[in-house]
Amino acid sequence: MGFMNEAINSILIYGFDVLQLSMITAYTHKDNIASKKILLKHGFVFNPEIKDDENINNVIFELCNKNLIKKKYKNDNSTS
């Protein structure tokens, strides 16, 4: 496994499991095909609606914390 795959795994574990983030957003240059492939491999989804105001050449990918969403949905429905 490459070092970027290991880095993303560590970021996802820390962000979702430790910090309990609901979403992680990644920015990459529009022409960086390798970065786009790695983000997609890890479940990130391209979001064309969000623009990087500081760098027009960046594209933005997002990944939701499905476990946190499931937990919130379960908790919201259990109080009904």
Side-chain angles (χ1 to χ4, degrees):
M1 186 184 310
F3 74 90
M4 282 309 298
N5 282 312
E6 292 180 27
I8 291 175
N9 282 336
S10 296
I11 289 167
L12 296 179
I13 290 167
Y14 187 75
F16 288 149
D17 296 345
V18 176
L19 298 177
Q20 294 291 301
L21 298 175
S22 60
M23 180 181 295
I24 293 177
T25 304
Y27 294 65
T28 189
H29 191 276
K30 64 181 181 181
D31 297 329
N32 191 336
I33 295 169
S35 289
K36 290 179 185 179
K37 284 183 179 179
I38 290 173
L39 291 170
L40 292 170
K41 176 182 173 182
H42 286 275
F44 282 80
V45 176
F46 172 64
N47 186 339
E49 296 179 10
I50 300 176
K51 303 292 181 203
D52 183 353
D53 294 331
E54 295 180 24
N55 187 340
I56 61 169
N57 291 316
N58 279 346
V59 290
I60 298 172
F61 290 78
E62 297 177 320
L63 181 63
C64 293
N65 184 344
K66 294 178 181 138
N67 292 330
L68 190 63
I69 292 168
K70 285 180 191 174
K71 183 177 177 183
K72 182 180 180 342
Y73 177 79
K74 184 178 177 182
N75 288 342
D76 287 351
N77 286 330
S78 67
T79 58
S80 308

